[in-house]
Amino acid sequence: MKTHLADEPSVVDRILKHIDAKSTDLSDGVWHEPVAHYQSPDRLVAEIEQVFRRTLTPFCPSAALTEIGSYVARDAALTPILAIRGADGVVRAFRNACRHRGVQLVDGTGCKKALTCRYHGWTYGLDGRLRGLPDDYGFPGLDKSEHGLVPVSCVERGGLVFVSQDEPAATSDATDMPVLFGDDWKLYSTTEQEVAANWKIVAEGFLEGYHIRSTHQDTFYPLQYDNLNVIESFGRNSRITFPYRRIEKLRNVPPNERRTAGMLTHVYHLFPNVMLSTFPTNRLMTMLEPLATDRTRLITYTLSNQIAAEDGRAAVAQGRDFVTAGAAEDRDMACAAQRGLASRANDHFTFGLFEGAIKRFHQHLATIIDSSAVMR
């Protein structure tokens, strides 16, 4: 499926019409999501096995792998995965385990000329092939070609590295993605934190603007509109647009000359669990990795195309700090919603017409999991 997202003048036109009409984009119906889907360990297993591991999912930005030998190693869908840029410039991904005794080869990020297991010294090239092992006479008949690192499907497109663990990569899914990071976008920082909430509850907070005034009274609301969004879809993914109040300045600009830089935030939901948010000085790419039904790890990459100059770095830091304050409010709401599950007040959550991106999110999850259950 090709990406058909509205261009800048069209997005601005839709926003200005919503401002005048005091309206917002509406979905075609209400969605009822069972509360059990947030609490059930079996449901979480299905999400991880049937969705996360079989979907071509963003693993990290290309800017995290700029040099030959640079790597990112982390757990994705509860699986240790390693992505590394080879001597030929190609990014490859592997299961992060030595083929001798299964020890993880690297942790976090770094840059290496080769990957050597710290347990017994088995060494692998950047292409994953087993290059050597100490005292190899102790392993008679060992075929090195059959003991390289176990690869997983990996595709690099549009400034993102995608990984699919249990299925061949559907490259069209990545090819049809808009270019989200050009070559001038550099990695500014990486953070990790755990949130005491189901990963879907955390995801839902990114996907609607119905809560802006009540949740972000002193952060986002003074700059943004409450419950005014443009919602678009491409494949299983969505783009939710949050306009800033200063977009009104574009009313006197000829329609075909209207540009959105500094006038709005786009939140790209890259199905199932990646949120990419655009801001005037930076872009945040956040992976939501489920750890349990009530715990999620957030890995957030901050990138910018303005960090070459000192004043640019200061602006990026200021912008990041502002966004961090608003994000903390969203996490508080996610944790409160998670705690509220124990009340047994609801047997389902009702997502209204303002929450169409959330509806599509749950529809796609249900379609994949239900069809997988039928096939079994």
Side-chain angles (χ1 to χ4, degrees), residues 63 180-187 279-283 303-307:
L180 296 170
F181 296 115
D183 293 339
D184 57 337
W185 285 82
K186 309 300 180 184
L187 183 62
F279 299 99
T281 63
N282 58 73
R283 293 184 179 180
L303 295 94
S304 178
N305 59 358
Q306 301 181 28
I307 59 178

Side-chain angles (χ1 to χ4, degrees), residues 8 11-12 15-16 19 223-225 241-251 253 258-266 278-280:
E8 294 178 82
V11 170
V12 174
I15 291 169
L16 294 178
I19 293 171
L223 302 178
Q224 296 182 356
Y225 297 90
T241 300
F242 297 79
Y244 306 158
R245 295 179 187 273
R246 60 176 173 262
I247 202 168
E248 297 264 14
K249 297 178 180 179
L250 296 181
R251 289 187 183 275
V253 176
R258 291 169 174 168
R259 297 295 178 263
T260 59
M263 297 292 177
L264 52 79
T265 284
H266 289 308
T278 70
F279 299 99

Side-chain angles (χ1 to χ4, degrees), residues 100-115:
H100 175 214
R101 298 272 289 277
V103 171
Q104 292 187 24
L105 295 169
V106 287
D107 299 304
T109 62
C111 190
K112 291 183 177 291
K113 294 181 180 179
L115 299 170

